[in-house]
Amino acid sequence: MEVYFFDLEKAFDCVNHDILLAKMEYYGLKGVIYTLIKSYLENRHQRVKFNNKLSKLDKINIGVPQGSILGPLFFLIYINDLPSIIPYTVSNKNSSIVLFVDDTSVIISEPCSLNFERKLNTVFQIMKEWFNSNFFLLSFDKTYYVQISMFHRAFFNSIIDKHQHMHLTFNSILV
């Protein structure tokens, strides 16, 4: 079994408002609630104070409002379509995408090594395209590929001793 642990750079800051609103419409959000959320996201501005000087106000078109109750919900709506992008020929009962807020993992299991390598490369390309089209930046330094086997030690794709993911620690001592 192989697991990709994808890390997105500043995921909450990269949510595009137009795409988020289009996804909300797709999921059936309409009328007053849609208009209220749209007005909540539109015409937001920010400025920076540095050395007692304020910058000019700049309009914000991306990012979910930090510290709000709605921010995590908006983010989850934004990434909700991610598991459906893997075609059935690649994703089967032994492969899946696991989402936990901004942590994304892809678990791939394939007994045939030739099919496995093809599936692994296909899944990675599809995920990378989805991240790009949704304006997420993939942090390659923090994205890991782990091979988990009952017969061999776990294999990490980079020189690391362990990887923390969703409060679980994966290390090279795994059997």
Side-chain angles (χ1 to χ4, degrees):
M1 174 175 27
E2 318 293 323
V3 182
Y4 264 119
F5 296 103
F6 290 97
D7 186 78
L8 303 172
E9 292 183 11
K10 301 182 180 185
F12 284 81
D13 296 333
C14 295
V15 172
N16 180 287
H17 294 172
D18 293 332
I19 294 174
L20 174 62
L21 290 168
K23 289 182 180 192
M24 287 180 169
E25 271 188 307
Y26 175 80
Y27 293 126
L29 201 62
K30 298 175 184 166
V32 175
I33 294 174
Y34 176 83
T35 305
L36 185 64
I37 291 172
K38 185 176 178 183
S39 78
Y40 178 71
L41 292 172
E42 288 181 337
N43 297 318
R44 297 183 79 83
H45 294 78
Q46 72 178 15
R47 72 169 84 193
V48 177
K49 184 177 183 179
F50 182 72
N51 286 337
N52 280 337
K53 293 185 181 180
L54 287 175
S55 67
K56 67 179 182 103
L57 280 174
D58 277 333
K59 189 173 182 181
I60 302 171
N61 296 321
I62 60 170
V64 293
Q66 300 290 320
S68 71
I69 293 173
L70 293 174
L73 175 64
F74 290 164
F75 182 79
L76 291 174
I77 291 169
Y78 195 79
I79 65 168
N80 190 55
D81 62 329
L82 181 55
S84 67
I85 66 162
I86 303 298
Y88 182 74
T89 54
V90 176
S91 176
N92 58 33
K93 63 183 177 184
N94 297 323
S95 303
S96 60
I97 296 178
V98 179
L99 301 175
F100 182 76
V101 192
D102 63 341
D103 289 326
T104 304
S105 304
V106 179
I107 302 166
I108 301 170
S109 180
E110 175 63 55
C112 175
S113 61
L114 286 172
N115 290 340
F116 176 77
E117 188 173 332
R118 179 189 53 79
K119 185 185 277 191
L120 187 67
N121 289 329
T122 301
V123 167
F124 185 77
Q125 286 304 317
I126 291 169
M127 295 287 288
K128 198 169 89 168
E129 288 171 17
W130 187 91
F131 292 142
N132 289 338
S133 66
N134 284 276
F135 299 102
F136 284 120
L137 298 172
L138 191 57
S139 174
F140 287 102
D141 292 341
K142 295 180 183 176
T143 295
Y144 296 101
Y145 158 78
V146 179
Q147 183 179 46
I148 301 171
S149 171
M150 291 175 57
F151 306 106
H152 303 289
R153 291 181 170 268
F155 169 76
F156 287 90
N157 72 325
S158 62
I159 304 169
I160 59 169
D161 292 327
K162 64 182 178 178
H163 174 67
Q164 183 91 25
H165 186 77
M166 297 190 315
H167 302 288
L168 296 174
T169 300
F170 294 87
N171 61 37
S172 58
I173 301 170
L174 273 173
V175 178

